[in-house]
């Protein structure tokens, strides 16, 4: 008996044409991930789990909205016929899962998402690799909430690398305790030609100031740190445009900066800020410190890493600072007198005797990780007091403004603490 294998008949042309968008599977999944930042996995109302596909003047966009954050991304798509001015609502999770499954073998195959009204309801199909998968239970466009309208107070554009790096460094010190929403945010404080980014979780503070290309309308905005982390990787490009918006219900407020948007060429996020007054932490940073210690960052990180990994549970790392030297060692309940740590040479100012102070090793490592300079500076007036950690800039390089303040912790009683 002879078995004849027949080539499967493939039809990549969708039967629907009111709305029709064709792009690679990679493009679809990348854009849906970007929009997903503004779509809740457990929406309070079902329609907020949908995304809005829209064709207008030959361009296609995807929109997501969860009442506090909106995302609008532009698609890099093929021209399939004449893209009509049309809209369709599609569940984000269903669309992403369907495209991911159909393009498992090869992500770059063309994927066409199309929709058409049938019997008063929208029918959506996804066509790829010979398959056509329908969605029979959609929602009417009228169910989707309209994005709020805003007036624009001011805008400015910054180098993406500079702004993203500063926000990343600031977010290190933001609290992860949702019971205090204000402390889970990054404060953006703009005055004149300066934008200061700062955050605190009450045990450490971070602050950095960026120079703006021109004088900008003063504003203060509390950006949720988790929101920034979610959208950062999707804001690709050389520049990021920051827009300060005024919505109708807060137009009378000082500055009117209840909303901002962050935009690149293909992606725009609009966010509502965290309400409340941020702690006045700027005054905790001194302009000048009487005592300083400069040390190689990589060498110090190695010792902090050892202390973090080998410390007894919930015990701090011990930092011994003396004239021309510094060491970081783990804390042990027993056998501490048998432990030794290599002494690191350091350049010190006004440090005449050795002092031992205890710090959370996780906080120390976070601060040293986000600083990229070869040498870091520890600045203080006296120990044990909060220490300011900052980069030591190399000659000929741009002067950095990042500062990280860490509070010391109580010395273990076994080592002479209270």
């Amino acid at each position: 008996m002879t078995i004849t294998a027949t080539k499967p008949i493939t039809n990549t042309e969708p039967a629907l044409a009111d709305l029709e968008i064709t792009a690679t599977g990679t493009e679809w999944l990348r854009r849906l991930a970007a929009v997903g930042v503004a779509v809740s996995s457990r929406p309070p109302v079902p329609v907020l789990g949908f995304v809005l596909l829209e064709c207008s003047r030959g361009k296609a966009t995807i929109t997501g909205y969860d009442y506090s954050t909106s995302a609008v991304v532009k698609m890099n798509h093929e021209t399939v016929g004449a893209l009509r001015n049309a809209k369709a609502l599609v569940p984000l999770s269903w669309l992403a899962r369907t495209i991911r499954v159909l393009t498992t073998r090869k992500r770059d195959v063309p994927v066409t998402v199309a929709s058409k009204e049938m019997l008063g309801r929208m029918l959506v199909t996804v066509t790829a690799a010979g398959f056509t998968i329908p969605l029979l239970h959609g929602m009417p466009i009228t169910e989707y909430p309209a994005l709020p309208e805003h007036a624009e107070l001011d805008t400015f554009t910054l180098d993406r690398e500079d702004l993203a790096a500063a926000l990343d460094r600031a977010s290190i010190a933001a609290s992860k305790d949702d019971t205090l929403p204000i402390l889970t945010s990054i404060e953006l404080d703009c005055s004149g030609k300066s934008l200061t980014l700062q955050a605190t979780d009450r045990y450490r503070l971070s602050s950095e100031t960026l120079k703006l290309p021109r004088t900008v309308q003063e504003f203060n905005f509390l950006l949720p740190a988790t929101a920034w982390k979610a959208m950062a990787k999707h804001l690709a490009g050389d520049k990021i445009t920051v827009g300060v918006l005024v919505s109708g219900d807060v137009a009378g407020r000082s500055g009117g900066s209840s909303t901002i948007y962050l935009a690149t060429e293909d992606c725009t996020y609009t966010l509502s800020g965290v309400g409340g007054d941020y702690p006045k932490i700027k005054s905790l940073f001194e302009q000048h410190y009487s005592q300083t210690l400069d040390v190689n960052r990589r060498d110090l990180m190695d010792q902090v890493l050892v202390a973090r990994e080998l410390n007894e549970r919930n015990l701090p790392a011990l930092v011994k600072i003396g004239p021309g030297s510094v060491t970081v060692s783990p804390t042990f309940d027993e056998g501490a007198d048998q432990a030794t740590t290599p002494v690191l040479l350091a350049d010190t100012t006004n440090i005449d005797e050795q002092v031992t102070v205890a710090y959370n090793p996780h906080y120390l490592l976070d601060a040293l990780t986000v600083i990229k300079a070869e040498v870091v500076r520890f600045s203080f007036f006296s120990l044990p007091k909060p220490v300011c950690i900052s980069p030591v800039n190399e000659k000929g390089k741009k002067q950095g403004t990042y500062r990280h303040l860490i509070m010391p912790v109580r010395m273990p009683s076994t080592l002479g603490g209270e």
Side-chain angles (χ1 to χ4, degrees), residues 20 56 80 83 85 143 166 198 215 388:
E20 184 180 289
S56 179
V80 181
L83 278 179
N85 293 341
E143 293 289 327
Q198 49 194 13
T215 301
C388 179

Side-chain angles (χ1 to χ4, degrees), residues 306-347:
V306 170
R308 188 193 68 174
E309 296 299 320
L310 300 183
N311 255 14
E312 298 288 351
R313 184 177 176 83
N314 296 326
L315 290 179
L318 300 180
V319 180
K320 297 179 181 179
I321 296 175
S325 68
V326 61
T327 63
V328 182
S329 57
T331 302
F332 302 103
D333 285 328
E334 297 180 355
D337 55 338
Q338 300 298 316
T340 60
T341 303
V343 175
L344 300 179
L345 297 180
D347 292 330

Side-chain angles (χ1 to χ4, degrees), residues 125-333:
T125 61
V126 177
T127 301
F131 294 88
T132 295
I133 309 298
L135 174 68
L136 302 177
H137 304 287
M139 279 193 174
I141 299 296
T142 53
E143 293 289 327
Y144 200 69
L147 271 61
E149 296 183 358
H150 301 90
E152 194 171 274
L153 184 67
D154 210 339
T155 63
F156 55 91
T157 300
L158 291 173
D159 182 85
R160 183 202 176 280
E161 184 177 349
D162 290 344
L163 179 59
L167 285 169
D168 287 342
R169 285 189 286 267
S171 67
I172 288 293
S175 174
K176 297 177 177 59
D177 183 2
D178 291 335
T179 61
L180 295 170
I182 287 179
L183 298 186
T184 64
S185 61
I186 304 168
E187 184 186 38
L188 279 65
D189 186 37
C190 181
S191 177
K193 290 186 177 182
S194 297
L195 175 66
T196 300
L197 314 172
Q198 49 194 13
T200 181
D201 62 2
R202 295 178 298 176
Y203 306 106
R204 50 183 172 170
L205 320 174
S206 66
S207 177
E208 185 164 4
T209 300
L210 300 177
K211 290 184 179 180
L212 302 181
R214 60 175 179 80
T215 301
V216 174
Q217 174 72 39
E218 291 187 5
F219 73 90
N220 184 277
F221 183 82
L222 300 184
L223 171 66
T226 54
W228 163 249
K229 290 179 181 178
M231 68 182 64
K233 61 185 176 182
H234 303 296
L235 289 168
D238 296 330
K239 301 290 183 179
I240 292 181
T241 298
V242 181
V244 186
L245 305 175
V246 182
S247 54
D249 58 339
V250 294
R253 294 184 186 177
S254 177
S257 54
S258 64
T259 306
I260 68 169
Y261 70 80
L262 302 174
T264 55
E265 184 176 349
D266 296 327
C267 188
T268 300
Y269 291 104
T270 303
L271 307 96
S272 298
V274 178
D277 295 325
Y278 203 73
K280 307 301 181 184
I281 65 174
K282 187 179 294 186
S283 61
L284 298 176
F285 290 100
E286 301 289 345
Q287 293 298 320
H288 302 284
Y289 291 90
S290 60
Q291 296 176 294
T292 63
L293 177 147
D294 296 354
V295 64
N296 182 276
R297 182 182 70 93
R298 184 67 260 182
D299 292 342
L300 189 63
M301 280 184 66
D302 290 341
Q303 292 199 359
V304 175
L305 183 60
V306 170
R308 188 193 68 174
E309 296 299 320
L310 300 183
N311 255 14
E312 298 288 351
R313 184 177 176 83
N314 296 326
L315 290 179
L318 300 180
V319 180
K320 297 179 181 179
I321 296 175
S325 68
V326 61
T327 63
V328 182
S329 57
T331 302
F332 302 103
D333 285 328

Side-chain angles (χ1 to χ4, degrees), residues 29-49:
L29 293 175
R30 186 165 66 95
R31 299 305 185 186
L32 290 174
V35 171
V37 173
V39 179
S40 173
S41 58
R42 295 183 178 179
V45 291
V47 72
L48 294 183

Side-chain angles (χ1 to χ4, degrees), residues 30-39 50-52 61-65 70-73 92 144 234 267 269:
R30 186 165 66 95
R31 299 305 185 186
L32 290 174
V35 171
V37 173
V39 179
F50 285 62
V51 292
L52 179 66
T61 60
I62 310 175
T63 300
Y65 183 44
S70 67
V72 180
V73 300
L92 173 64
Y144 200 69
H234 303 296
C267 188
Y269 291 104

